[in-house]
Amino acid sequence: GAILGGALGGLPRACAGGGCPEGSREAGGPAAAAAGSRGKGRRGGAGGAGAEGASCHRSASLDPRGLRGFPRNRLLEAVIDRYQQGKAAALRCQLCEKAPKEAAVMCEQCDVFYCDPCRLRCHPPRGPLAKHRLVPPAQGRVSRRLSPRKISTCTDHELENHSMYCVQCKSPVCYQCLEEGKHSSHEVKALGAMWKLHKSQLSQALNGLSDRAKEAKEFLVQLRNMVQQIQENSVEFEACLVAQCDALIDALNRRKAQLLSRVNKEHEHKLKVVRDQISHCTVKLRQTTGLMEYCLEVIKENDPSGFLQISDALIRRVHLTEDQWGKGTLTPRMTTDFDLNLDNAPLLQSIHQLDFVQMKVPAPPILQLEECCTHNNSATLSWKQPPLSTVQVEGYILELDDGNGGQFREVYVGKETMCTVDGLHFNSTYSARVKAFNKTGVSPYSKTLVLQTSEVAWFSFDPASAHADIIFSNDNLTVTCNSYDDRVVLGKTGFSKGLHYWELSIDRYDNHPDPAFGVARIDVLKDAMLGKDDKAWAMYVDNNRSWFMHNNSHTNRTEGGITKGATVGVLLDLTRRTLTFSINEDQQGPVAFENLEGLFFPAVSLNRNVQVTLHTGLPVPEFYTSRSAMQ
């Protein structure tokens, strides 16, 4: 409604100011221009000629009626009437003879506005007029707008009403036009049906135009916001540029002071060397001059015997003094030149090359879900830049939380687009995200990916950390040893959280050795029985009994040993921080160790008389689950 009112509201203003003839001339060509030049006295006549000329898209010839033969634009007349009525400052009486007074009432039946004197004189409240309904002028104006539309008559046949619509000429026609007029061979349709159709089409077109106008308003708001943002960014950027240049100037001034300090030090050093040489040479010259004067006085003596008594000593002293003035004594120890040359060419070149770099912050990376996975307590993540992104990326930052919904932390910074993170907790849910960066800044984060680590551990023995005497087979699940001494081998996976259980089956057991089973730190001794140092917690067992051992301390001797085919179970509960052992699925002794905390690796120590096979990914045994239920 607002768009329609604005669109139609502009047209009457143009016509009221004398704009309709010009507008008709542009739309309707010469015929429309002629109609416009003579149609100012008729309401909407000029506009009607122009509009019909534009909608017919063909030349029109004048009949004997001249310009009066053109159809009147009744719609435009109604629009102008409503516009003028709406803009009127006050409704005036229609029966005043000279200066119309302001209307006081309107009679809906007479359709006349009355002032109070004219109402009493011309519309007395008696007789047949007593039944007429008098309403306020504003309400009467509304009633007049809502009154049934006037029936239009045909231009060519003034006594006939428009009853059909000519599709070819795009104008209403009467019955007589179809019978004997120029529309007799044209396609026609019912006037009411075409009226409703065109109204519907106009409404649909206005809806689309309304959407475009709404988008235009929003776009203008966006542009105005951009103007403000550009101004703010300009001020911020200028301040940043001034600060950067000032920082360069400050750095240059500091370097200038440092270089001047070096020049001053060189100046003081040269002066000191020269002054020391002047002092030394002055003293020596004074001594030499004194010796020369003394020798001259001795030469003047005429006593041969007295002269010869001291002449040898004087001659040696003169030669010695002369030798002291030897080569280099009378050479300056310092030059007057400053052997310093300021190399400012690279800096000048950098200043000349100082310019803006057109760079943008990278777009957030996209995690490639089909390549992201977890295995045991490790997670592999892969990501890429958006396909249409052209912004240069210098690296990526991968972040994971702590597996309990805590704070994110950086686990990788680099250029690669794939990363495997080891050492996570088992049976934990991790959230991962990644962002890109370049010299301009850091991108927003990617979408967060949730990863679930394995509930139970699947692992094998680790050849890399085992003693050299350990022999591996069966995909590193079976181990033995080629030494009679005990040697240690660890599992590949470390545990710091959760409940874990694994078993070791005894494949060979000769001469009743004492293999040990348990957990250890990564740096446990590899050439001694498990539990000999403070880095391992173990149970060692023979064919009759077992002991728990840590830091070479033996405790809890328990009857019951192992033979070939037996199974030793190790249960590490890091929720309760305990370590428990079993033989053939029965608990062996009490809880072996408590208050365990940190990172533990499955461990075994054995010699050449024993061979064991590792079994992982097992459920918790019944003896432990039943005991937990009782607690």
Side-chain angles (χ1 to χ4, degrees):
I3 299 300
L4 177 59
L8 297 181
L11 185 58
R13 288 194 290 272
C15 293
C20 270
E22 291 296 325
S24 299
R25 187 176 302 118
E26 292 181 6
S37 64
R38 297 178 58 189
K40 292 182 180 179
R42 297 173 59 190
R43 294 190 310 181
E52 289 297 330
S55 61
C56 287
H57 297 285
R58 59 185 177 83
S59 301
S61 58
L62 296 179
D63 58 15
R65 293 175 297 173
L67 295 178
R68 288 175 296 178
F70 284 105
R72 297 170 63 186
N73 192 331
R74 299 183 184 277
L75 180 61
L76 186 57
E77 287 182 5
V79 172
I80 294 175
D81 286 342
R82 289 198 298 269
Y83 174 77
Q84 290 177 343
Q85 291 173 8
K87 290 298 183 180
L91 295 172
R92 300 294 176 179
C93 177
Q94 293 177 301
L95 297 181
C96 290
E97 295 182 355
K98 293 183 180 180
K101 297 180 181 179
E102 185 175 348
V105 295
M106 174 195 172
C107 178
E108 289 186 340
Q109 285 71 25
C110 300
D111 195 17
V112 176
F113 289 94
Y114 297 96
C115 62
D116 286 335
C118 291
R119 178 179 61 81
L120 294 175
R121 178 170 53 86
C122 302
H123 200 287
R126 57 183 178 274
L129 299 178
K131 296 182 180 181
H132 287 195
R133 185 181 178 215
L134 300 178
V135 296
Q139 183 179 346
R141 180 170 59 187
V142 174
S143 299
R144 176 177 287 181
R145 291 179 184 174
L146 299 177
S147 61
R149 66 181 187 276
K150 298 177 182 179
I151 300 176
S152 60
T153 58
C154 180
T155 305
D156 296 332
H157 311 93
E158 296 182 356
L159 299 179
E160 298 291 338
N161 296 330
H162 288 148
S163 59
M164 303 295 289
Y165 180 80
C166 178
V167 178
Q168 182 175 346
C169 298
K170 299 184 184 301
S171 63
V173 295
C174 67
Y175 177 76
Q176 195 169 352
C177 291
L178 299 178
E179 291 293 330
E180 58 187 34
K182 55 187 177 181
H183 301 280
S184 59
S185 61
H186 294 175
E187 179 187 1
V188 293
K189 291 187 178 181
L191 186 66
M194 293 302 296
W195 173 53
K196 292 181 180 179
L197 176 62
H198 282 204
K199 271 195 171 184
S200 175
Q201 292 176 350
L202 181 58
S203 297
Q204 292 178 0
L206 283 177
N207 288 336
L209 184 60
S210 175
D211 293 339
R212 299 291 85 75
K214 182 179 179 181
E215 292 176 359
K217 289 182 179 179
E218 295 174 352
F219 182 63
L220 285 175
V221 171
Q222 180 183 355
L223 292 179
R224 293 189 181 99
N225 292 337
M226 287 180 62
V227 170
Q228 181 179 358
Q229 190 65 37
I230 289 173
Q231 292 175 345
E232 294 175 357
N233 290 345
S234 175
V235 173
E236 181 181 354
F237 190 79
E238 287 179 3
C240 181
L241 178 62
V242 171
Q244 288 177 319
C245 292
D246 289 344
L248 293 176
I249 294 173
D250 291 342
L252 185 61
N253 286 331
R254 289 194 298 270
R255 189 57 180 166
K256 173 185 174 182
Q258 294 172 357
L259 294 175
L260 287 175
S261 175
R262 287 181 56 185
V263 172
N264 291 333
K265 289 181 180 179
E266 184 70 12
H267 169 248
E268 295 296 332
H269 174 67
K270 286 180 176 291
L271 288 180
K272 183 178 182 304
V273 171
V274 173
R275 285 169 178 168
D276 290 345
Q277 191 173 10
I278 289 174
S279 176
H280 178 72
C281 189
T282 300
V283 171
K284 203 167 184 181
L285 179 61
R286 187 180 300 116
Q287 294 174 352
T288 302
T289 303
L291 178 61
M292 290 173 60
E293 292 177 351
Y294 176 71
C295 290
L296 290 175
E297 292 298 326
V298 169
I299 291 174
K300 292 178 182 179
E301 290 295 331
N302 294 324
D303 182 7
S305 60
F307 177 81
L308 291 174
Q309 286 179 348
I310 63 173
S311 60
D312 288 337
L314 285 177
I315 292 172
R316 286 194 303 271
R317 186 174 179 184
V318 168
H319 286 304
L320 180 61
T321 302
E322 182 181 2
D323 291 339
Q324 291 178 351
W325 288 100
K327 185 177 180 181
T329 306
L330 299 179
T331 302
R333 299 176 184 173
M334 184 62 64
T335 63
T336 58
D337 297 330
F338 284 79
D339 298 329
L340 298 174
N341 185 20
L342 183 62
D343 185 13
N344 60 350
L347 180 58
L348 289 176
Q349 183 178 2
S350 299
I351 292 175
H352 292 316
Q353 293 176 349
L354 190 63
D355 201 350
F356 299 108
V357 178
Q358 294 292 339
M359 289 190 66
K360 297 181 180 179
V361 174
I366 299 175
L367 285 168
Q368 301 191 84
L369 302 182
E370 65 279 3
E371 297 185 14
C372 297
C373 62
T374 59
H375 176 71
N376 274 346
N377 62 335
S378 65
T380 299
L381 296 108
S382 177
W383 58 88
K384 65 179 180 179
Q385 279 298 103
L388 301 180
S389 176
T390 59
V391 179
Q392 180 181 359
V393 176
E394 294 185 0
Y396 301 92
I397 301 174
L398 176 63
E399 296 182 357
L400 261 70
D401 67 358
D402 60 357
N404 290 319
Q407 295 291 329
F408 280 89
R409 65 190 190 279
E410 293 182 2
V411 296
Y412 171 75
V413 178
K415 296 182 178 181
E416 299 297 329
T417 57
M418 179 175 286
C419 178
T420 297
V421 184
D422 296 319
L424 303 178
H425 299 306
F426 281 88
N427 195 21
S428 299
T429 301
Y430 287 87
S431 295
R433 63 187 184 183
V434 64
K435 58 184 177 180
F437 64 88
N438 59 16
K439 293 181 180 178
T440 302
V442 181
S443 76
Y445 284 105
S446 66
K447 292 183 178 180
T448 301
L449 178 63
V450 178
L451 301 165
Q452 175 70 42
T453 54
S454 300
E455 294 185 7
V456 295
W458 300 84
F459 60 93
S460 60
F461 288 114
D462 184 17
S465 62
H467 192 279
D469 293 338
I470 296 293
I471 301 173
F472 294 85
S473 60
N474 188 24
D475 293 330
N476 298 332
L477 293 175
T478 301
V479 292
T480 184
C481 181
N482 59 10
S483 171
Y484 285 107
D485 296 324
D486 291 316
R487 299 294 186 244
V488 173
V489 57
L490 302 180
K492 279 190 174 181
T493 301
F495 305 110
S496 59
K497 180 182 177 183
L499 178 62
H500 309 281
Y501 177 71
W502 62 94
E503 292 180 346
L504 299 112
S505 59
I506 310 301
D507 302 332
R508 188 177 73 249
Y509 188 76
D510 302 328
N511 300 324
H512 310 298
D514 298 328
F517 311 89
V519 296
R521 306 292 189 190
I522 190 66
D523 55 347
V524 65
L525 292 176
K526 304 297 194 311
D527 55 358
M529 177 184 287
L530 197 65
K532 285 287 186 179
D533 62 359
D534 61 350
K535 301 294 194 306
W537 295 256
M539 175 187 75
Y540 73 92
V541 57
D542 59 17
N543 61 327
N544 292 318
R545 62 193 68 83
S546 66
W547 294 264
F548 302 144
M549 186 165 65
H550 170 65
N551 200 17
N552 205 25
S553 174
H554 307 250
T555 60
N556 296 100
R557 171 178 168 175
T558 304
E559 296 299 322
I562 59 173
T563 60
K564 179 180 178 181
T567 299
V568 176
V570 182
L571 197 152
L572 177 64
D573 188 347
L574 290 174
T575 302
R576 299 180 179 179
R577 300 163 60 189
T578 61
L579 182 63
T580 307
F581 297 96
S582 65
I583 296 179
N584 296 327
E585 299 184 357
D586 292 328
Q587 182 172 343
Q588 182 73 0
V591 174
F593 300 100
E594 297 179 336
N595 301 320
L596 299 178
E597 188 173 0
L599 181 63
F600 301 93
F601 290 82
V604 175
S605 67
L606 71 170
N607 60 20
R608 65 183 304 168
N609 293 317
V610 182
Q611 177 177 302
V612 299
T613 297
L614 177 66
H615 306 276
T616 62
L618 303 177
V620 177
E622 292 183 2
F623 75 82
Y624 195 78
T625 55
S626 59
R627 188 182 70 183
S628 300
M630 294 176 59
Q631 293 177 352

